[in-house]
Amino acid sequence: MCTVCGCSSLEHGASAPPQTIHFGQGPAGTSLPGVSQTRTVTLERNILDANNRFAEQNRSHFKSHGVRALNLLSSPGSGKTTLLCKTLQELKTTTPTTRVSVIEGDQQTSLDAERIHATGFPVVQVNTGKGCHLDARMVAEAFSKLHSHDHTHDLTPGHSRGSSIPLKSLTWHQVRDTDLLFIENVGNLVCPALWDLGEEAKVVILSVTEGEDKPLKYPDMFQKADLLLLNKIDLLPHVDFDPDRALAFARRINPDLACLQVSATTGEGMTAWVDWLLQKKPSTESPKGDPIALVQRIEILEAELAAARTALEEYI
Amino acid sequence: MHEVSLAEEILRIVESSALATPFSKVKTLTLEIGDLAGVENEALEFALTHMAPETLLEGALIRLIPVPGSGFCDACAKRVDLEFALSPCPHCGQQPLVDVKGTELRIRDLEVN
């Protein structure tokens, strides 16, 4: 008789394989009474993470090129493209050395890019198809086309130009290809507000043929904007639109919002707008007390120096 | 309409997290969507539901947790409700407020098996 349990087998316990019940083999890796094998994956992730990473890359890329990128936003029909064409003409006259390029965003057609192209400035059209906004990745691709990146390129945003790079390769970018980059977003006062493109400033354009209360109806766009451009002010005598009231509404959303009034048709207010564009250009002075800006400034100056040396070598 | 793009981003994040910690099905997707984030919750839910078939999100319960707009006012020494993210304190007018909540667009967690 078995001495373990009293059964008839003489060998009980000696040869039977040990049985195992594993409570940690379910998807949860553990087991609690009354709890199913469902497990929780904690993500805590910002839904726009991927876009924001591209935007930060764009931002450092623009900075390393000495480019001030501006995101132009409005509803369809506010006169964005006409205003942009007029701005380009003004810039050509007042500061011919300022290099300007344009990224045009529309769902379909290259009609706007053709209008910009006619002004003689470099432009890339981005068609979003069914998309209602530009995203940072689209802008990255368009910017790379604008800068004729046909050279060997480390593709690192910001292209840190370390000392390991031979001097000659520093002529890559011809440095300062562009001083201003206008990104004309898809005409839409809602969706583009959420997508950071890596721009330095968002400029929202509101025309006087629209309602004064648009800032209250589309608060997200006006909250994110750095400058409000009130366009088509030549039409003020013909429409029931109070600019002060519109601005008061906008400042209820965004108390520090700057505002300029312009007319692309008559040119009124264009000087102030161009001044705003140029005044906020990255300073050519060496920035003080900002190590990152200093490093970037040194990189730009070193690249300029290398380009000048290469140019000089051609004469020697 | 940008809710469709957000739904695509959510699906992409879910798929990439399935690569890191394998799972075959999402039972519950929990999102935190701030009231001041500029997102229409119903549109986002609609977009997710229509995108779900034949993905990891097929049949998943979508839980949208709204986060009300609020900010902390130093002068009043308390948290106050906000109509817009940059609004001043509705009690004393101080602006800007700190620790503003309500602009969240987050995936909090997934219940998977």
Side-chain angles (χ1 to χ4, degrees):
Chain A
M1 191 178 79
C2 162
T3 55
V4 175
C5 63
C7 72
S8 56
S9 169
L10 289 173
E11 297 178 274
H12 191 182
S15 64
Q19 294 195 41
T20 307
I21 303 171
H22 201 312
F23 285 93
Q25 282 180 335
T30 184
S31 173
L32 294 170
V35 176
S36 77
Q37 279 301 319
T38 302
R39 68 196 157 105
T40 301
V41 178
T42 304
L43 287 177
E44 294 292 348
R45 283 270 299 278
N46 184 335
I47 295 168
L48 289 172
D49 260 1
N51 181 74
N52 292 345
R53 276 197 299 275
F54 269 107
E56 281 314 312
Q57 288 175 4
N58 285 348
R59 198 163 275 120
S60 67
H61 199 174
F62 296 149
K63 221 171 182 180
S64 71
H65 277 273
V67 170
R68 179 166 194 236
L70 301 160
N71 187 357
L72 306 184
L73 303 141
S74 80
S75 49
S78 69
K80 274 196 306 297
T81 314
T82 303
L83 180 68
L84 184 52
C85 288
K86 183 80 177 175
T87 305
L88 295 173
Q89 286 160 4
E90 287 282 324
L91 287 166
K92 200 190 259 181
T93 317
T94 52
T95 57
T97 54
T98 301
R99 290 167 199 172
V100 187
S101 55
V102 178
I103 295 171
E104 269 296 332
D106 283 298
Q107 283 198 313
Q108 299 290 349
T109 81
S110 58
L111 295 172
D112 280 1
E114 286 159 22
R115 288 173 67 186
I116 303 295
H117 183 67
T119 65
F121 288 94
V123 56
V124 170
Q125 175 79 49
V126 177
N127 283 145
T128 58
K130 296 207 188 322
C132 49
H133 56 271
L134 290 176
D135 65 36
R137 192 176 186 161
M138 297 172 185
V139 169
E141 201 171 317
F143 186 63
S144 70
K145 286 192 168 44
L146 274 172
H147 278 252
S148 45
H149 281 188
D150 47 353
H151 44 250
T152 315
H153 196 292
D154 67 19
L155 287 178
T156 313
H159 324 305
S160 69
R161 302 185 182 96
S163 54
S164 59
I165 300 167
L167 268 185
K168 272 218 152 161
S169 66
L170 288 173
T171 56
W172 288 348
H173 280 126
Q174 301 298 312
V175 191
R176 303 183 60 193
D177 277 336
T178 310
D179 290 331
L180 281 173
L181 170 67
F182 292 102
I183 305 166
E184 187 182 332
N185 219 312
V186 177
N188 178 343
L189 265 185
V190 184
C191 315
L194 258 67
W195 273 262
D196 181 8
L197 305 180
E199 71 276 355
E200 188 178 318
K202 284 184 167 73
V203 178
V204 64
I205 298 150
L206 177 65
S207 65
V208 303
T209 53
E210 303 169 63
E212 294 154 347
D213 52 1
K214 263 202 172 163
L216 296 182
K217 290 177 175 169
Y218 302 93
D220 301 304
M221 185 62 80
F222 289 85
Q223 177 214 310
K224 302 258 171 81
D226 298 282
L227 175 69
L228 167 63
L229 272 186
L230 269 186
N231 193 22
K232 305 188 189 179
I233 55 165
D234 53 302
L235 296 178
L236 276 174
H238 312 290
V239 293
D240 187 17
F241 184 98
D242 178 356
D244 292 339
R245 202 153 167 255
L247 183 58
F249 285 144
R251 289 199 170 138
R252 261 178 64 188
I253 314 292
N254 183 347
D256 297 325
L257 185 63
C259 178
L260 292 171
Q261 298 188 21
V262 292
S263 164
T265 306
T266 64
E268 197 179 344
M270 290 301 287
T271 310
W273 158 232
V274 168
D275 283 350
W276 184 89
L277 289 169
L278 298 174
Q279 274 168 4
K280 289 182 90 178
K281 254 174 62 167
S283 170
T284 51
E285 295 285 321
S286 289
K288 292 181 179 117
D290 180 354
I292 295 167
L294 273 169
V295 167
Q296 279 165 345
R297 182 77 189 129
I298 288 167
E299 282 177 4
I300 289 167
L301 289 172
E302 279 179 348
E304 280 181 6
L305 180 64
R309 281 196 177 129
T310 311
L312 184 63
E313 274 169 20
E314 288 174 16
Y315 289 98
I316 299 172
Chain B
M1 172 166 176
H2 55 294
E3 284 81 3
V4 175
S5 303
L6 293 175
E8 283 170 351
E9 287 297 327
I10 290 167
L11 180 59
R12 205 168 311 166
I13 292 170
V14 168
E15 282 173 346
S16 69
S17 72
L19 293 177
T21 49
F23 54 82
S24 54
K25 187 171 161 39
V26 176
K27 275 185 76 180
T28 312
L29 166 70
T30 307
L31 305 170
E32 284 175 4
I33 306 295
D35 288 350
L36 312 179
V39 170
E40 200 57 56
N41 286 2
E42 281 178 14
L44 180 59
E45 203 168 341
F46 178 83
L48 280 167
T49 310
H50 281 260
M51 211 169 281
E54 294 175 36
T55 72
L56 291 168
L57 289 178
E58 181 157 10
L61 174 73
I62 294 154
R63 274 209 313 155
L64 289 178
I65 300 178
V67 184
S70 73
F72 189 82
C73 175
D74 283 339
C76 300
K78 65 176 179 184
R79 186 161 279 282
V80 294
D81 293 339
L82 284 185
E83 189 183 1
F84 307 114
L86 301 176
S87 296
C89 171
H91 306 298
C92 72
Q94 171 164 300
Q95 182 267 333
L97 302 181
V98 295
D99 190 28
V100 171
K101 295 196 191 304
T103 59
E104 295 81 354
L105 278 180
R106 296 173 68 76
I107 305 182
R108 183 191 279 188
D109 56 46
L110 308 169
E111 223 188 358
V112 299
N113 57 19

